[in-house]
């Protein structure tokens, strides 16, 4: 970037460097759980991780499942309802660089006793640029096991406290499963969700408290198929991506990632082809991480990468959680895929189940390349904690 002006007949050019931040090289270790600033294993799952301001920290809004013993069978067959408790908290953490040990607990979005009674899952937080409010949706099931719906709360601050505005949103397909909110560059909001074998996208009303009626009914499995879960939506270089995987109810074996792309948020979407995280045994996945099975949890038949009777391995050993947009010091964006590794906690406690993180690669057409297992990776995360130093001016005389 150059600014040119003339002083006393000679042209001075003040060359300002691009506004780059200092690089901080952060090591991510998938062989260990992540920790908060107090040295506790992060009990934070099913959530969203994002920056709301270009100079601000990353905010995580995620579920605290609690330190109950995960079942010693398949993940959802919990005799004491560990994973389905009524007191799941919706926690808010911040971090400047996403590293293990950097996550500072900011509080709960609201006390669990002040939300509608039930089991809370998979919250999604976004900023509404029209109303300037932070919007939080979550999914819940009544204590009697009947599906309740999506509830909505708002706050003027990302860390809350959040105030409930809707106990239920009238979406097109009920009962719905997992979902994710997405805000486009023009400020329009969308909810992507799975329900009754459908993956659906609905446009939100301008206040993001409900749906407008414009919808895209994308992908329907057939009646003999299990449903899909854990959808995530993001945009990169003008392409809209939705990623989801076969149902995986706290499934030990982990699930896959199916990629669909479009040039407009309500589609039509094109399947990229082939699951990028389920792989045949003995082929690609032979190099994947295989955790030594202990005598505790067992895989859930027909779910995750065992979907529809297939006998594949999940290269992530996880179910999709979120795709984090990470700013690098050079002003680029890295897309870090994150997934929950259900039933794989080091001490058998539900809340200590770790995550798998992986930086996605895209080819020239924007296709996402296969996701493999890596123990470690290093990422250049722009350091936003430093005060901007006075930009050096280079003066050249001509
Ligand atoms: C949620 O927070 C409350 C209050 O701190 C606590 O009593 C409860 O155990 C927490 N729930 C879980 C699942 O950890
Ligand atoms: C379950 O609880 C909800 C909320 O109280 C109620 O509306 C619903 O009718 C109940 N369902 C059954 C099957 O009892
Ligand atoms: C249902 O979907 C599965 C997997 O795509 C396919 O193999 C099967 O033939 C389909 N069944 C019917 C009845 O369409
Ligand atoms: C799980 O159950 C098996 C079979 O009863 C037992 O051998 C094992 O010790 C149990 N594991 C845990 C972590 O409780």
């Amino acid at each position: 970037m150059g600014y040119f002006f003339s002083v006393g007949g000679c042209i001075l050019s003040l060359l300002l460097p691009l506004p780059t931040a200092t690089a901080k090289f952060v090591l991510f270790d998938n062989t260990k759980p992540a920790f908060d600033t107090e040295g506790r294993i992060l009990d934070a799952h099913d959530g969203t991780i994002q920056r709301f301001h270009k100079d601000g920290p990353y905010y995580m809004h995620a579920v605290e499942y609690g330190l109950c013993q995960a079942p010693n069978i398949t993940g959802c067959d919990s005799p004491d309802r560990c994973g389905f408790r009524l007191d799941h908290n919706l926690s808010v953490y911040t971090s400047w660089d996403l590293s293990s040990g950097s996550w500072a607990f900011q509080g709960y979005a609201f006390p669990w006793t002040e939300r509608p009674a039930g089991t809370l899952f998979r919250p999604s937080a976004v900023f509404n640029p029209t109303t300037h409010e932070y919007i939080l949706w979550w999914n819940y099931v009544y204590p009697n096991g009947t599906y309740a719906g999506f509830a909505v709360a708002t706050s003027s601050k990302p860390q809350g406290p959040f105030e409930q505005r809707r106990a239920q949103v009238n979406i097109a397909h009920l009962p719905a499963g997992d979902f994710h909110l997405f805000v486009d560059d023009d400020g329009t909001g969308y909810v992507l969700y799975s329900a009754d074998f459908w993956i659906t996208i609905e446009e939100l009303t301008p206040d993001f408290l409900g749906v407008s009626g414009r919808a895209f009914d994308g992908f329907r499995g057939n009646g003999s198929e299990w449903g899909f879960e854990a959808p995530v939506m993001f945009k990169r270089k003008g392409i809209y991506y939705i990623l989801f995987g076969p149902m995986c109810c706290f499934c030990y074996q982990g699930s896959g990632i199916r990629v669909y792309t479009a040039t407009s948020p309500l589609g039509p979407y094109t399947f990229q082809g082939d699951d990028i995280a389920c792989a045949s045994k003995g082929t690609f996945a032979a190099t994947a991480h295989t955790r030594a099975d202990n005598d505790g949890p067992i895989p859930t038949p027909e779910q995750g990468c065992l979907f529809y009777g297939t006998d594949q391995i999940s290269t992530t050993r996880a179910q999709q959680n979120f795709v984090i947009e990470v700013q690098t010091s050079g002003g680029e964006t890295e897309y870090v895929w994150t997934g929950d590794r259900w039933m794989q906690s080091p001490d058998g406690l539900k809340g200590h189940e770790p995550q798998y993180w992986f930086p996605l690669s895209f080819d020239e057409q924007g296709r996402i390349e296969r996701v493999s297992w890596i123990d470690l990776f290093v990422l250049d995360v722009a350091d936003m904690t430093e005060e901007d130093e006075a930009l050096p001016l280079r003066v050249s005389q001509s």
Side-chain angles (χ1 to χ4, degrees):
M1 206 191 293
Y3 294 93
F4 298 91
F5 55 92
S6 104
V7 179
C10 44
I11 307 283
L12 292 180
S13 142
L14 304 183
L15 293 173
L16 304 179
L18 283 170
T20 50
T22 310
K24 188 163 185 185
F25 292 97
V26 179
L27 174 71
F28 295 91
D29 185 348
N30 281 314
T31 68
K32 296 188 175 73
F35 291 86
D36 68 11
T37 51
E38 306 293 313
R40 289 176 300 226
I41 295 179
L42 210 52
D43 181 354
H45 306 85
D46 277 15
T48 52
I49 302 172
Q50 68 207 295
R51 286 169 61 216
F52 293 107
H53 186 271
K54 66 178 178 54
D55 300 320
Y58 290 86
Y59 280 85
M60 179 194 286
H61 295 81
V63 181
E64 179 181 64
Y65 280 113
L67 301 183
C68 45
Q69 187 71 41
N72 184 11
I73 34 174
T74 53
C76 281
D77 295 324
S78 182
D80 60 358
R81 299 188 53 79
C82 182
F84 298 89
R85 288 162 54 162
L86 302 180
D87 66 348
H88 293 169
N89 292 298
L90 208 171
S91 307
V92 187
Y93 289 88
T94 55
S95 165
W96 288 96
D97 63 12
L98 301 165
S99 65
S100 177
S102 72
W103 292 100
F105 180 62
Q106 301 295 332
Y108 296 134
F110 34 69
W112 73 270
T113 45
E114 288 178 21
R115 59 174 166 80
T119 301
L120 169 149
F121 294 109
R122 205 163 276 265
S124 186
V126 290
F127 178 67
N128 184 331
T130 308
T131 61
H132 295 276
E133 285 180 311
Y134 294 87
I135 312 287
L136 196 50
W137 287 36
W138 66 96
N139 197 7
Y140 69 111
V141 176
Y142 290 126
N144 63 14
T146 304
Y147 177 74
F150 294 147
V152 185
T154 62
S155 174
S156 60
K157 296 193 290 272
Q159 68 272 29
F162 283 81
E163 190 188 332
Q164 187 185 299
R165 304 287 293 278
R166 298 277 187 277
Q168 262 163 347
V169 180
N170 288 324
I171 51 170
H173 294 290
L174 289 166
D178 296 333
F179 78 101
H180 180 223
L181 300 179
F182 166 75
V183 183
D184 205 353
D185 302 329
D186 66 1
T188 309
Y190 298 88
V191 57
L192 163 70
Y193 62 93
S194 60
D196 188 25
F197 303 104
W198 288 87
I199 289 282
T200 298
I201 305 172
E202 293 196 54
E203 189 188 78
L204 304 183
T205 50
D207 59 12
F208 291 7
L209 303 182
V211 289
S212 74
R214 294 188 68 216
F216 169 72
D217 272 335
F219 321 106
R220 196 176 201 288
N222 56 41
S224 59
E225 249 180 342
W226 288 93
F228 297 113
E229 287 186 339
V232 161
M233 182 168 179
F234 62 90
K235 184 182 187 179
R236 177 184 177 272
K237 298 186 176 172
I239 300 177
Y240 297 84
Y241 290 83
I242 63 176
L243 276 55
F244 54 87
M247 173 187 182
C248 168
C249 185
F250 295 144
C251 82
Y252 177 51
Q253 68 266 35
S255 192
I257 307 170
R258 290 160 190 229
V259 180
Y260 287 77
T261 56
T263 51
S264 115
L266 292 179
Y269 279 85
T270 308
F271 184 35
Q272 183 181 298
D274 292 334
D275 193 300
I276 61 167
C278 289
S280 305
K281 286 178 185 164
T283 58
F284 174 82
T287 58
H289 173 81
T290 44
R291 180 183 175 277
D293 291 306
N294 59 27
D295 56 5
I298 54 172
T300 310
E302 300 288 334
Q303 294 194 15
C305 292
L306 304 176
F307 178 67
Y308 206 70
T310 53
D311 186 19
Q312 296 193 320
I313 290 173
S314 166
T315 58
T316 66
R317 200 65 188 261
Q319 179 176 34
Q320 179 164 276
N321 172 67
F322 188 65
V323 174
I324 312 170
E325 298 187 20
V326 181
Q327 259 57 61
T328 69
S329 60
E332 304 279 302
T333 304
E334 290 278 351
Y335 294 79
V336 177
W337 186 90
T338 67
D340 286 295
R341 295 178 62 195
W342 305 129
M343 309 293 287
Q344 296 164 63
S345 88
D347 54 10
L349 299 181
K350 185 89 201 149
H352 288 170
E353 289 170 347
Q355 291 195 330
Y356 180 68
W357 286 25
F358 181 88
L360 294 175
S361 301
F362 297 78
D363 72 12
E364 303 88 75
Q365 285 81 44
R367 293 163 55 89
I368 305 182
E369 288 169 5
R370 287 204 66 101
V371 171
S372 58
W373 179 274
I374 46 174
D375 283 349
L376 305 169
F377 67 97
V378 173
L379 206 61
D380 160 3
V381 180
D383 188 351
M384 298 299 171
T385 56
E386 291 184 1
E387 291 282 285
D388 276 3
E389 314 233 304
L391 292 171
L393 299 182
R394 193 147 57 85
V395 181
S396 66
Q397 222 169 346
S398 55

